[in-house]
Amino acid sequence: MAKVSQSLQGMTDIEFPEVNIWQTLEARAREVMLQYDFREIRTPIVEMASVYLHSLGDTSEIVQKQMYAFETRGGKQVCLRPEGTAGVMRYVSNNQQELQDARLYYMGPMFRAERPQAGRKRQFHQLGVECIGSTSARQDAEVIALQAALFKAWNLDGVQFQLNTRGSMEDFSKILEGLRSELMPVTDDLCDDCRHRMDNNVLRVLDCKNPGCKKVVEELSPITTWMDPASVAYFEEVLATLDTFGVDYVVNPLLVRGLDYYQHSIWEVTSNRIGAQDALSGGGRYAMKANGKTIEGVGFGIGMERVLMALAEETSKAFSREKDPLMVLVGQNEAAQTANLTLLGELRGQGYRVRMDLNGKSMKAQMKGAGRQQARWVLIRGESELDAGTIQLRDMESGEQKEVAMADLVGEISGLV
RNA sequence: GUGGGUGUAGCUCAGUUGGUUAGAGCGUCGGUUUGUGGUACCGAAUGUCGCGGGUUCGAAUCCCGUCACUCACCCCA
C-alpha cells in the first residue's frame, strides 16, 4: 500500500531553493515576451477530451495512451491537458474576430501518463508560444528568433536548433506516398516498429534509431523531392530570415515531429547535457481545426524541467539566489521582543525583507537561527539598548557591530541596502 | 507500456555467510558562568530498515507481491 502522504508517481514538489530558479526563468521569459510583444493567455488545465482527440492526430501516443482522461459526474469526457497548443486553439477559435493575429504565450503544467525518467515527469511544465494568423515565412523565423532570445536570457548554452520542413498539407500525402514506394522494396531491412510505421506513421521511420533502419533511411530521397517548389522556397525564406536575425541552426532533413498538426517549418532544440530526453523544445507551423474552423499559426513548447537540467551549475546557483538581503531582529528579553514586533512592522512597511523569532527562543538560538537563515544584518536589542533608545546593527558577513540610535536606524539601513 | 538498478534516522550512507538492545558522518536540539551566529569542545533526541505477505527457532539481510525513486527503451517538451 502506498502511504497517503506520498505524492503520485512522476509528480513532484518544486521547493526552495529550486523554486527560485523557476521564478527567475519565468521573470526573464516575461521580459522577452514583452520585447517581442506577445501576451500571456491562461487557459484551463482541464479541457474536453475532444479538444485533443482530433487535433493531435489519432495515431499519436499522447492521445492513444498518455492522457489523464476521466468522465465528470455530468457524463462529460474531459482530460488534463497533455500539451498547450490545442487549448489555445480552442480559445482562439471562440474569439476569432478579435484574435486574427494573436501573439500569445503560456506557462503551466501539462500531464502525460508516461513512465518517468530523467527529464520526463507526469506533471511537467511548458512555456509555449502561439503566433496566430500570419502565413509568412518571416513569421516562422521571428518565432524561432524569439525562442533563441529566451535561451539567451536564460544563459543557456550548449543548445542546438535543428530545423526541417514537412511541406504543405497538400504535399503531405505525396510525401507519404513517395516514402512508402521507396521503402516497400526494402521492408525486410526495417525493424518491427518501422514496419508498423509504414502503414500509420511513415515519417517516423526517418528518425528511427535502429542501425538497420538508419542505413535504409540514408538511401532514401530527401522528402523535399515530393514537395511543391513553393514549399521548398518557403523553407528557404525561413532560413534566410534566420540568418538575418543572426540565429544559429542546422538543417536536419530527417527531423520529424510527433504531432499531426504541423506543416512547413518544424524544429527542435536539443541539449547535449541532459541525458536521453534531450529535446528542450519543439515547435513548428501548424494548421489546426477547432470548432469547425481551421486556424493557422506557428509556435513552440519548451520543457521547463529540461531547461533547468540543462542550465550550467553556476547559472542555476545565480538564479536561485534571493534578491533582497535579509534582516533579522533579535531581542534579549520579553520587553525587547515586544518592541521588536513594532519595529518588524515598520521595516516591512518600508519594503525591507525582515523577520524575527516568535517562539521565545534564547538569544543564542535567535542568533544561530539568523545565521542559518543567511541573514545579511541582525538588529539586536536588550535592556541597555531599550533604556538608551538604541539598537545594535550587526553585519553578519564581517562580524562588525555598531550601536545606532533608533532615530537614525532607517537612514543607516538605507545606506546599506 | 517493456526492461535494469535502488528503497535503513531530517540528509548521505554502512550493516559482514539470516543471530541478541540497528550504526556512522552531516544536520537538529541543549550546554561550555545566565546579552551575540557561522570555528572548537561536551551532551541529547530521532528509525513500524518503503509497505504487505511468506520461509525460519530467529529476517534490514532470503522469497513473492505492492508502492515509490532512478536509468534506458518507447515517446516527446
Side-chain angles (χ1 to χ4, degrees):
Chain A
M1 274 291 285
K3 294 182 197 167
V4 278
S5 57
Q6 218 161 15
S7 62
L8 254 30
Q9 185 178 37
M11 308 211 178
T12 50
D13 305 306
I14 301 170
E15 57 188 347
F16 175 84
E18 193 187 279
V19 71
N20 285 13
I21 304 175
W22 286 79
Q23 290 173 357
T24 305
L25 293 177
E26 287 162 6
R28 292 192 175 201
R30 290 183 198 286
E31 285 171 23
V32 173
M33 293 302 173
L34 194 63
Q35 289 166 358
Y36 280 75
D37 197 33
F38 278 68
R39 298 210 174 102
E40 185 175 11
I41 174 69
R42 302 191 185 189
T43 62
I45 286 169
V46 183
E47 295 268 6
M48 298 289 287
S50 57
V51 168
Y52 305 98
L53 290 183
H54 307 298
S55 58
L56 305 194
D58 299 331
T59 59
S60 80
E61 292 242 334
I62 294 176
V63 170
Q64 283 188 334
K65 37 192 172 183
Q66 297 178 359
M67 290 220 296
Y68 279 93
F70 56 97
E71 192 179 302
T72 65
R73 285 182 223 178
K76 288 191 174 110
Q77 296 299 322
V78 301
C79 68
L80 269 39
R81 61 183 185 194
E83 59 101 57
T85 302
V88 174
M89 292 309 110
R90 194 259 314 135
Y91 160 74
V92 169
S93 69
N94 288 333
N95 302 274
Q96 209 172 20
Q97 279 300 315
E98 311 87 82
L99 296 173
Q100 279 174 0
D101 59 349
R103 296 156 76 85
L104 302 167
Y105 75 92
Y106 54 86
M107 309 184 194
M110 308 292 164
F111 302 84
R112 293 182 199 170
E114 299 176 270
R115 193 83 171 266
Q117 76 183 72
R120 191 164 80 186
K121 299 280 185 208
R122 289 183 163 190
Q123 173 173 340
F124 62 105
H125 298 77
Q126 277 192 10
L127 163 55
V129 159
E130 312 295 349
C131 182
I132 314 297
S134 166
T135 53
S136 157
R138 291 181 172 179
Q139 189 59 68
D140 299 22
E142 191 199 28
V143 168
I144 295 170
L146 161 58
Q147 200 182 340
L150 277 173
F151 288 148
K152 195 176 169 201
W154 292 337
N155 292 358
L156 196 58
D157 45 24
V159 298
Q160 188 186 52
F161 278 72
Q162 294 184 41
L163 272 71
N164 195 15
T165 178
R166 295 190 9 154
S168 68
M169 289 295 178
E170 289 73 44
D171 297 333
F172 204 62
S173 53
K174 287 183 218 152
I175 293 170
L176 300 187
E177 212 174 287
L179 278 176
R180 279 199 192 105
S181 66
E182 288 197 4
L183 284 169
M184 210 62 86
V186 290
T187 310
D188 292 345
D189 299 334
L190 295 174
C191 67
D192 292 347
D193 285 339
C194 281
R195 263 176 245 139
H196 283 290
R197 287 170 178 144
M198 287 277 293
D199 295 325
N200 51 30
N201 213 347
V202 202
L203 271 179
R204 279 243 155 264
V205 176
L206 295 184
D207 71 346
C208 184
K209 288 172 194 161
N210 183 294
C213 299
K214 277 187 167 178
K215 220 170 171 185
V216 170
V217 167
E218 275 174 28
E219 304 299 321
L220 297 175
S221 309
I223 58 172
T224 46
T225 310
W226 299 289
M227 286 180 201
D228 191 290
S231 298
V232 178
Y234 184 98
F235 189 53
E236 277 163 5
E237 191 182 357
V238 173
L239 300 183
T241 313
L242 283 175
D243 292 336
T244 305
F245 283 140
V247 176
D248 289 330
Y249 59 84
V250 297
V251 173
N252 174 359
L254 301 182
L255 178 68
V256 183
R257 310 239 54 251
L259 306 177
D260 275 1
Y261 52 60
Y262 288 115
Q263 62 172 344
H264 290 297
S265 318
I266 53 174
W267 68 91
E268 210 166 279
V269 184
T270 54
S271 164
N272 52 17
R273 48 173 179 238
I274 62 173
Q277 304 294 315
D278 63 351
L280 294 178
S281 166
R285 169 164 289 283
Y286 52 80
M288 196 188 284
K289 280 212 173 74
N291 286 331
K293 305 162 191 167
T294 297
I295 297 167
E296 294 202 40
V298 53
F300 59 81
I302 299 178
M304 295 302 287
E305 279 81 358
R306 293 183 186 176
V307 169
L308 258 89
M309 288 195 297
L311 291 176
E313 204 170 314
E314 284 170 28
T315 307
S316 302
K317 213 177 266 178
F319 283 6
S320 68
R321 248 195 296 279
E322 305 278 324
K323 286 173 288 293
D324 299 323
L326 175 68
M327 271 181 272
V328 171
L329 308 187
V330 167
Q332 186 246 328
N333 55 25
E334 179 60 27
Q337 286 295 62
T338 305
N340 277 350
L341 283 175
T342 308
L343 181 57
L344 183 70
E346 284 172 7
L347 290 174
R348 283 177 177 163
Q350 290 177 37
Y352 293 109
R353 179 179 164 217
V354 46
R355 66 186 281 186
M356 63 179 276
D357 169 63
L358 302 174
N359 300 310
K361 287 193 179 174
S362 73
M363 194 163 161
K364 186 183 174 74
Q366 291 179 55
M367 286 302 296
K368 211 170 170 184
R372 192 177 41 240
Q373 290 146 21
Q374 300 188 330
R376 184 68 181 77
W377 296 285
V378 173
L379 296 168
I380 306 162
R381 278 205 281 194
E383 271 175 63
S384 52
E385 286 81 7
L386 279 183
D387 290 345
T390 59
I391 196 163
Q392 301 286 346
L393 172 56
R394 182 178 178 85
D395 182 321
M396 294 295 273
E397 276 176 23
S398 67
E400 284 169 30
Q401 183 170 321
K402 67 175 171 179
E403 187 165 359
V404 300
M406 284 304 288
D408 302 335
L409 180 61
V410 170
E412 192 74 34
I413 290 173
S414 67
L416 293 172
V417 178

